[in-house]
């Protein structure tokens, strides 16, 4: 996590949490004719993930029913995607999103980049472990079949998780690494992508902050300028994502949200994924950053792009503060 910001969520554990009362209220909201969507939003968008897991357990133990099954049979469309997303443990949710990005024809490279390039080593190990449990195939192997070239090599390096742990810093090494990046890119004819991959996939985020500083001292250019000049395609987007997550993750996610809503149509999958997966991490930081970058609030942008219960659920997660 970059030292530039303290992660601030928008969804917190509910005080005076009463799982039996929540389970009974959810059952009532789905029983009989019609569904009380507002109650579902009020409860599930205002509990943290472990509280939702306890509610699901209580629902099973006290009412003898499967909460996720009941929700799926009562809800539909994008509203269902938000609520079912909230009911998964966070890592399982990200694994599902990775699977979805690779399943069927074509691959959603941007989704792979967003999820894989923003994780530290411990998170990455956890995701790999759960992915294999859920889909009975190693994540690295699945990604290998869906990507190619230097982009594939970079993602494989990230997934196999050899990044130094957070806090690992060696300022002298950073000077050398900055020089290696320069020599592999701007300092020569052509680009040696493997050097970029190695340094950006192996060094801790804290170390990379030093490397980028040193790069600027050495060349007078930012690492972003260097990447733009030297690389292209998915590899460029992936390495840029790492750079942005090192320097300021909320900036990266704000950009992703803006792009998801910009122009004609909305990329709802990305919109839902970021709001659901970051709501208990740093969605408040993302909101602040979004407003600064685009001169409008994330809430107003989401309101103008969505409707109905889907809109209400996202707005409840974004929060008013």
């Amino acid at each position: 996590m970059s030292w530039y910001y303290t992660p601030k969520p928008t969804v917190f554990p509910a005080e005076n949490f009463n799982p039996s009362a929540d389970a009974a209220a959810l059952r009532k909201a789905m029983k009989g004719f019609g569904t009380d969507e507002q109650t579902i939003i009020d409860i599930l968008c205002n509990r943290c993930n472990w509280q939702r897991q306890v509610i699901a357990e209580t629902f099973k133990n006290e009412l003898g029913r499967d909460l996720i099954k009941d929700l799926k049979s009562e809800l539909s469309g994008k509203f269902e995607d938000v609520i079912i997303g909230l009911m998964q443990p966070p890592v399982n949710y990200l694994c599902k999103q990775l699977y979805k990005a690779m399943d069927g024809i074509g691959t959603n490279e941007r989704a792979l980049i967003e999820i894989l390039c923003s994780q530290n080593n411990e998170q990455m190990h956890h995701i790999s472990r759960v992915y294999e449990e859920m889909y009975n195939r190693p994540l690295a192997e699945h990604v290998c079949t869906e990507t190619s070239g230097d982009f594939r090599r970079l993602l494989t390096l990230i997934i196999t998780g050899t990044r130094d742990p957070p806090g690992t810093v060696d300022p002298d090494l950073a000077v050398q690494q900055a020089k290696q990046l320069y020599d592999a890119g701007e300092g020569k004819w052509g680009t040696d992508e493997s050097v970029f991959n190695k340094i950006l996939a192996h060094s801790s985020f804290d170390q990379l902050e030093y490397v980028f500083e040193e790069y600027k001292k050495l060349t007078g250019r930012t690492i972003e300028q260097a990447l733009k000049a030297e690389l292209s395609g998915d590899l460029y987007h992936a390495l840029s994502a790492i750079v942005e997550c090192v320097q300021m993750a909320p900036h990266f996610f704000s950009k992703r949200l803006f792009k998801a809503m910009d122009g004609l149509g909305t990329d709802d999958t990305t919109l839902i994924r970021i709001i659901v997966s970051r709501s208990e991490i740093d969605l408040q930081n993302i909101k602040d950053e979004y407003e600064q970058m685009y001169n409008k609030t994330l809430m107003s942008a989401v309101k103008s792009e969505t409707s109905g219960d889907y809109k209400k659920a996202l707005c409840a997660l974004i929060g008013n503060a």
Side-chain angles (χ1 to χ4, degrees):
M1 202 56 78
S2 173
W3 58 47
Y4 289 139
Y5 79 111
T6 306
K8 293 177 191 156
T10 55
V11 173
F12 299 89
E15 290 172 25
N16 312 319
F17 174 51
N18 183 338
S20 297
D22 284 347
L26 286 168
R27 176 74 187 115
K28 191 177 166 204
M30 294 186 279
K31 208 172 164 185
F33 189 69
T35 307
D36 175 2
E37 286 89 354
Q38 193 56 53
T39 295
I40 294 172
I41 293 169
D42 289 343
I43 295 174
L44 297 179
C45 295
N46 291 290
R47 305 290 182 272
C48 68
N49 194 277
W50 71 260
Q51 289 178 330
R52 291 182 213 119
Q53 304 306 325
V54 175
I55 293 169
E57 222 166 281
T58 309
F59 203 83
K60 199 175 201 71
N61 296 339
E62 294 181 8
L63 305 168
R65 300 181 67 88
D66 182 324
L67 177 55
I68 290 187
K69 255 191 194 145
D70 279 10
L71 287 165
K72 280 182 170 170
S73 70
E74 294 293 325
L75 311 178
S76 63
K78 296 187 276 278
F79 176 48
E80 180 190 344
D81 293 342
V82 175
I83 297 298
I84 299 302
L86 290 171
M87 291 307 300
Q88 326 276 326
V91 172
N92 298 49
Y93 177 68
L94 288 180
C95 288
K96 267 208 155 112
Q97 294 291 310
L98 286 167
Y99 183 80
K100 204 166 143 186
M102 296 186 281
D103 191 32
I105 293 170
T107 303
N108 182 346
E109 287 85 5
R110 293 298 173 94
L112 294 182
I113 289 169
E114 177 204 302
I115 298 169
L116 299 174
C117 294
S118 58
Q119 310 297 330
N120 69 29
N121 217 22
E122 203 181 319
Q123 294 162 331
M124 199 58 255
H125 279 303
H126 194 183
I127 289 170
S128 292
R129 203 168 53 244
V130 173
Y131 193 91
E132 191 158 355
E133 280 164 20
M134 285 172 72
Y135 298 108
N136 209 10
R137 83 185 279 193
L139 175 59
E141 184 244 320
H142 195 177
V143 168
C144 273
T145 62
E146 296 293 325
T147 54
S148 60
D150 289 302
F151 178 55
R152 168 164 58 194
R153 281 189 279 277
L154 174 68
L155 294 188
T156 311
L157 285 173
I158 290 169
I159 294 164
T160 47
T162 48
R163 192 182 288 291
D164 294 330
T168 311
V169 165
D170 179 342
D172 294 336
L173 179 62
V175 176
Q176 291 169 35
Q177 288 173 315
K179 176 86 169 73
Q180 286 166 358
L181 288 173
Y182 176 72
D183 290 343
E186 295 186 287
K188 72 191 277 275
W189 180 254
T191 308
D192 183 352
E193 287 85 357
S194 66
V195 175
F196 281 86
N197 278 357
K198 189 165 165 262
I199 293 173
L200 269 72
H202 285 167
S203 305
S204 72
F205 279 15
D206 301 297
Q207 175 71 5
L208 286 173
E209 298 213 36
Y210 278 99
V211 175
F212 302 158
E213 293 270 315
E214 292 301 335
Y215 193 90
K216 193 155 189 213
K217 279 187 212 164
L218 176 72
T219 65
R221 284 156 70 81
T222 64
I223 191 73
E224 292 93 329
Q225 288 171 321
L227 292 178
K228 215 176 178 117
E230 294 298 317
L231 303 167
S232 61
D234 292 325
L235 181 64
Y236 165 70
H237 291 299
L239 289 171
S240 293
I242 295 173
V243 171
E244 286 185 20
C245 289
V246 165
Q247 294 179 335
M248 185 68 164
H251 181 88
F252 170 70
F253 287 108
S254 297
K255 254 168 73 171
R256 294 276 297 147
L257 286 168
F258 181 78
K259 280 188 181 145
M261 295 185 280
D262 193 29
L264 271 178
T266 305
D267 175 357
D268 294 289
T269 310
T270 299
L271 190 59
I272 294 169
R273 182 177 56 245
I274 294 176
I275 290 174
V276 167
S277 68
R278 305 307 290 192
S279 59
E280 288 181 56
I281 303 173
D282 57 358
L283 189 54
Q284 184 61 50
N285 308 78
I286 294 168
K287 276 164 61 175
D288 297 342
E289 187 67 15
Y290 191 95
E291 193 169 351
Q292 248 182 329
M293 287 168 72
Y294 302 110
N295 216 2
K296 63 174 168 187
T297 64
L298 178 59
M299 181 76 102
S300 67
V302 167
K303 275 183 173 167
S304 65
E305 292 292 322
T306 57
S307 60
D309 295 314
Y310 170 45
K311 169 162 88 175
K312 285 182 197 160
L314 289 183
C315 290
L317 293 172
I318 292 167
N320 291 315

